[in-house]
Amino acid sequence: MKRVAKSSADYEQFKKEALLLTSLSHEGIPIVYDLEEDGSYSYLIEEYLEGDSLYALVKNQGRLNQETVLCIGVQICDLVHYLHSAGPTPVLYLDLQPRNLLFCHGHVKLLDFDHAAHLHEANQSRFRYGTRGFCAPEQREGGTLGIYTDIYQIGALLYYLTTGHTKEGADGHFVDGALGRIIEICVREDGTQRYPSIQ
């Protein structure tokens, strides 16, 4: 249960996150059982999940083998593709990073929808969120956000899972083979040069 005071500066953001979550239905997104409020607080009651974040997984085990990375990567792509195609306009997640993804009994769950927004809302906001090492250039530089922003973050995540560190701490390390090629296309500086869709 997530409780936020109505007097909190985060209350409007919490309300937006809660309403978005109640409109989504995917096995990789926690089930929302109820959204309640009283005079002072709002409550979001969600499915309880057990597992390790991808951050904890890499911290404890080191870099993951390619088979595991591909299994996780396909699930992340399926999740993000659902967000991009669930409604009339894409929902951008905008903070794909290992602490926001839970590995739960072999399945990936996407947590913390604080920064997720519909495409037009994301671009109207004067704030550009993102986690260092995973955020796309257009987030860092205040550019136009799009599907390609989440695609960049997927590439950065795949790189992190494969190498055990972010591209910022890479020291010129490259990932070989087809997976390396996928990562390279995902993390291109120019969003128009990345994959045009998750599919």
Side-chain angles (χ1 to χ4, degrees):
M1 182 164 61
K2 190 173 182 178
R3 183 182 81 162
V4 173
K6 291 182 174 180
S7 58
S8 164
D10 297 329
Y11 176 66
E12 287 304 317
Q13 186 66 32
F14 166 79
K15 217 162 71 166
K16 189 178 128 217
E17 176 189 359
L19 289 171
L20 178 61
L21 276 170
T22 57
S23 72
L24 300 173
S25 177
H26 186 282
E27 63 184 359
I29 298 171
I31 298 165
V32 173
Y33 294 118
D34 210 351
L35 182 58
E36 295 286 343
E37 60 179 53
D38 57 27
S40 304
Y41 294 95
S42 278
Y43 307 87
L44 180 64
I45 302 157
E46 291 180 284
E47 172 186 15
Y48 176 74
L49 300 171
E50 284 185 348
D52 290 320
S53 71
L54 295 186
Y55 173 81
L57 207 62
V58 170
K59 185 179 178 189
N60 295 332
Q61 296 181 20
R63 64 193 184 92
L64 307 181
N65 65 56
Q66 194 164 113
E67 185 180 346
T68 304
V69 172
L70 292 173
C71 172
I72 290 171
V74 166
Q75 290 185 59
I76 293 169
C77 285
D78 183 62
L79 262 165
V80 178
H81 176 64
Y82 168 76
L83 292 177
H84 290 176
S85 56
T89 59
V91 172
L92 304 180
Y93 184 77
L94 301 176
D95 197 20
L96 284 165
Q97 52 110 338
R99 293 178 197 267
N100 287 346
L101 290 149
L102 190 74
F103 202 48
C104 181
H105 308 295
H107 298 283
V108 175
K109 303 281 186 176
L110 186 57
L111 313 173
D112 196 355
F113 280 70
D114 284 6
H115 305 317
H118 288 277
L119 179 65
H120 59 281
E121 291 170 353
N123 281 297
Q124 283 172 357
S125 172
R126 59 194 177 91
F127 298 108
R128 290 289 185 265
Y129 300 103
T131 299
R132 186 174 174 177
F134 299 94
C135 65
E138 57 272 18
Q139 290 176 286
R140 295 191 302 268
E141 296 158 14
T144 303
L145 306 178
I147 284 170
Y148 47 81
T149 306
D150 283 344
I151 288 172
Y152 180 97
Q153 294 181 348
I154 289 172
L157 260 170
L158 293 174
Y159 184 88
Y160 173 80
L161 297 174
T162 306
T163 65
H165 49 74
T166 65
K167 285 187 70 57
E168 285 183 358
D171 277 343
H173 182 85
F174 294 98
V175 177
D176 295 327
L179 180 57
R181 177 70 178 151
I182 290 167
I183 292 169
E184 185 273 319
I185 295 170
C186 286
V187 299
R188 288 177 175 167
E189 288 290 306
D190 181 351
T192 64
Q193 298 300 309
R194 299 173 204 151
Y195 290 108
S197 73
I198 297 291
Q199 284 180 313

mmCIF file of all heavy atoms in Angstrom, residues 181-197:
data_model
loop_
_atom_site.group_PDB
_atom_site.id
_atom_site.type_symbol
_atom_site.label_atom_id
_atom_site.label_comp_id
_atom_site.label_asym_id
_atom_site.label_seq_id
_atom_site.Cartn_x
_atom_site.Cartn_y
_atom_site.Cartn_z
ATOM 1 N N ARG A 181 25.018 -5.406 -31.566
ATOM 2 C CA ARG A 181 24.467 -4.594 -32.672
ATOM 3 C C ARG A 181 23.122 -3.980 -32.263
ATOM 4 O O ARG A 181 22.853 -2.812 -32.543
ATOM 5 C CB ARG A 181 24.305 -5.491 -33.914
ATOM 6 C CG ARG A 181 23.674 -4.818 -35.108
ATOM 7 C CD ARG A 181 24.573 -3.788 -35.720
ATOM 8 N NE ARG A 181 23.946 -3.188 -36.897
ATOM 9 C CZ ARG A 181 24.178 -1.967 -37.312
ATOM 10 N NH1 ARG A 181 25.026 -1.184 -36.661
ATOM 11 N NH2 ARG A 181 23.595 -1.497 -38.385
ATOM 12 N N ILE A 182 22.298 -4.764 -31.586
ATOM 13 C CA ILE A 182 21.001 -4.258 -31.110
ATOM 14 C C ILE A 182 21.215 -3.095 -30.148
ATOM 15 O O ILE A 182 20.584 -2.041 -30.267
ATOM 16 C CB ILE A 182 20.190 -5.391 -30.439
ATOM 17 C CG1 ILE A 182 19.727 -6.406 -31.496
ATOM 18 C CG2 ILE A 182 19.000 -4.835 -29.657
ATOM 19 C CD1 ILE A 182 19.187 -7.699 -30.928
ATOM 20 N N ILE A 183 22.125 -3.277 -29.201
ATOM 21 C CA ILE A 183 22.424 -2.229 -28.218
ATOM 22 C C ILE A 183 22.907 -0.969 -28.920
ATOM 23 O O ILE A 183 22.466 0.139 -28.623
ATOM 24 C CB ILE A 183 23.453 -2.726 -27.177
ATOM 25 C CG1 ILE A 183 22.826 -3.811 -26.295
ATOM 26 C CG2 ILE A 183 23.981 -1.564 -26.327
ATOM 27 C CD1 ILE A 183 23.827 -4.555 -25.415
ATOM 28 N N GLU A 184 23.816 -1.152 -29.887
ATOM 29 C CA GLU A 184 24.400 -0.001 -30.598
ATOM 30 C C GLU A 184 23.329 0.823 -31.296
ATOM 31 O O GLU A 184 23.355 2.052 -31.272
ATOM 32 C CB GLU A 184 25.438 -0.519 -31.610
ATOM 33 C CG GLU A 184 26.221 0.565 -32.329
ATOM 34 C CD GLU A 184 25.521 1.074 -33.599
ATOM 35 O OE1 GLU A 184 24.955 0.245 -34.345
ATOM 36 O OE2 GLU A 184 25.524 2.305 -33.816
ATOM 37 N N ILE A 185 22.334 0.151 -31.901
ATOM 38 C CA ILE A 185 21.254 0.873 -32.583
ATOM 39 C C ILE A 185 20.348 1.582 -31.571
ATOM 40 O O ILE A 185 19.951 2.731 -31.763
ATOM 41 C CB ILE A 185 20.439 -0.078 -33.492
ATOM 42 C CG1 ILE A 185 21.332 -0.590 -34.634
ATOM 43 C CG2 ILE A 185 19.188 0.618 -34.046
ATOM 44 C CD1 ILE A 185 20.724 -1.707 -35.467
ATOM 45 N N CYS A 186 20.060 0.911 -30.456
ATOM 46 C CA CYS A 186 19.186 1.492 -29.424
ATOM 47 C C CYS A 186 19.767 2.783 -28.840
ATOM 48 O O CYS A 186 19.021 3.717 -28.547
ATOM 49 C CB CYS A 186 18.965 0.508 -28.282
ATOM 50 S SG CYS A 186 17.859 -0.869 -28.657
ATOM 51 N N VAL A 187 21.083 2.828 -28.636
ATOM 52 C CA VAL A 187 21.685 3.940 -27.886
ATOM 53 C C VAL A 187 22.328 5.004 -28.782
ATOM 54 O O VAL A 187 23.140 5.800 -28.322
ATOM 55 C CB VAL A 187 22.709 3.443 -26.828
ATOM 56 C CG1 VAL A 187 22.036 2.541 -25.818
ATOM 57 C CG2 VAL A 187 23.889 2.739 -27.490
ATOM 58 N N ARG A 188 21.922 5.066 -30.028
ATOM 59 C CA ARG A 188 22.434 6.128 -30.890
ATOM 60 C C ARG A 188 21.994 7.488 -30.364
ATOM 61 O O ARG A 188 20.881 7.642 -29.855
ATOM 62 C CB ARG A 188 21.953 5.921 -32.328
ATOM 63 C CG ARG A 188 22.660 4.746 -33.000
ATOM 64 C CD ARG A 188 22.140 4.486 -34.386
ATOM 65 N NE ARG A 188 22.936 3.434 -35.023
ATOM 66 C CZ ARG A 188 22.581 2.797 -36.140
ATOM 67 N NH1 ARG A 188 21.437 3.109 -36.736
ATOM 68 N NH2 ARG A 188 23.360 1.870 -36.642
ATOM 69 N N GLU A 189 22.876 8.463 -30.494
ATOM 70 C CA GLU A 189 22.602 9.808 -29.977
ATOM 71 C C GLU A 189 21.359 10.419 -30.627
ATOM 72 O O GLU A 189 20.538 11.035 -29.965
ATOM 73 C CB GLU A 189 23.813 10.717 -30.223
ATOM 74 C CG GLU A 189 25.008 10.417 -29.336
ATOM 75 C CD GLU A 189 24.784 10.792 -27.883
ATOM 76 O OE1 GLU A 189 24.434 11.960 -27.615
ATOM 77 O OE2 GLU A 189 24.939 9.912 -27.020
ATOM 78 N N ASP A 190 21.231 10.237 -31.923
ATOM 79 C CA ASP A 190 20.104 10.785 -32.678
ATOM 80 C C ASP A 190 18.940 9.802 -32.600
ATOM 81 O O ASP A 190 19.039 8.669 -33.091
ATOM 82 C CB ASP A 190 20.532 10.995 -34.132
ATOM 83 C CG ASP A 190 19.434 11.580 -34.998
ATOM 84 O OD1 ASP A 190 18.273 11.675 -34.542
ATOM 85 O OD2 ASP A 190 19.727 11.938 -36.154
ATOM 86 N N GLY A 191 17.834 10.230 -31.983
ATOM 87 C CA GLY A 191 16.685 9.349 -31.811
ATOM 88 C C GLY A 191 16.129 8.806 -33.116
ATOM 89 O O GLY A 191 15.605 7.680 -33.159
ATOM 90 N N THR A 192 16.247 9.554 -34.202
ATOM 91 C CA THR A 192 15.704 9.092 -35.498
ATOM 92 C C THR A 192 16.541 7.956 -36.090
ATOM 93 O O THR A 192 16.105 7.284 -37.018
ATOM 94 C CB THR A 192 15.647 10.248 -36.521
ATOM 95 O OG1 THR A 192 16.971 10.696 -36.804
ATOM 96 C CG2 THR A 192 14.816 11.409 -35.997
ATOM 97 N N GLN A 193 17.743 7.749 -35.543
ATOM 98 C CA GLN A 193 18.614 6.676 -36.020
ATOM 99 C C GLN A 193 18.460 5.394 -35.194
ATOM 100 O O GLN A 193 19.112 4.383 -35.486
ATOM 101 C CB GLN A 193 20.080 7.130 -35.989
ATOM 102 C CG GLN A 193 20.384 8.310 -36.878
ATOM 103 C CD GLN A 193 20.088 8.013 -38.340
ATOM 104 O OE1 GLN A 193 20.538 6.997 -38.883
ATOM 105 N NE2 GLN A 193 19.300 8.863 -38.974
ATOM 106 N N ARG A 194 17.632 5.436 -34.168
ATOM 107 C CA ARG A 194 17.357 4.236 -33.368
ATOM 108 C C ARG A 194 16.260 3.433 -34.042
ATOM 109 O O ARG A 194 15.702 3.847 -35.047
ATOM 110 C CB ARG A 194 16.936 4.642 -31.941
ATOM 111 C CG ARG A 194 17.996 5.418 -31.196
ATOM 112 C CD ARG A 194 17.486 5.939 -29.854
ATOM 113 N NE ARG A 194 18.282 7.113 -29.453
ATOM 114 C CZ ARG A 194 17.848 8.108 -28.705
ATOM 115 N NH1 ARG A 194 16.604 8.095 -28.235
ATOM 116 N NH2 ARG A 194 18.642 9.120 -28.409
ATOM 117 N N TYR A 195 15.907 2.286 -33.456
ATOM 118 C CA TYR A 195 14.793 1.508 -33.981
ATOM 119 C C TYR A 195 13.524 2.379 -33.963
ATOM 120 O O TYR A 195 13.301 3.118 -33.016
ATOM 121 C CB TYR A 195 14.551 0.250 -33.139
ATOM 122 C CG TYR A 195 15.629 -0.786 -33.279
ATOM 123 C CD1 TYR A 195 16.528 -1.032 -32.231
ATOM 124 C CD2 TYR A 195 15.755 -1.533 -34.449
ATOM 125 C CE1 TYR A 195 17.519 -1.994 -32.359
ATOM 126 C CE2 TYR A 195 16.759 -2.494 -34.577
ATOM 127 C CZ TYR A 195 17.623 -2.719 -33.520
ATOM 128 O OH TYR A 195 18.610 -3.665 -33.646
ATOM 129 N N PRO A 196 12.675 2.268 -34.997
ATOM 130 C CA PRO A 196 11.473 3.102 -35.046
ATOM 131 C C PRO A 196 10.375 2.658 -34.080
ATOM 132 O O PRO A 196 9.461 3.409 -33.767
ATOM 133 C CB PRO A 196 11.007 2.986 -36.496
ATOM 134 C CG PRO A 196 11.559 1.691 -36.975
ATOM 135 C CD PRO A 196 12.857 1.488 -36.232
ATOM 136 N N SER A 197 10.462 1.417 -33.605
ATOM 137 C CA SER A 197 9.455 0.912 -32.656
ATOM 138 C C SER A 197 10.085 -0.230 -31.854
ATOM 139 O O SER A 197 11.125 -0.759 -32.221
ATOM 140 C CB SER A 197 8.207 0.405 -33.390
ATOM 141 O OG SER A 197 8.502 -0.826 -34.037
#
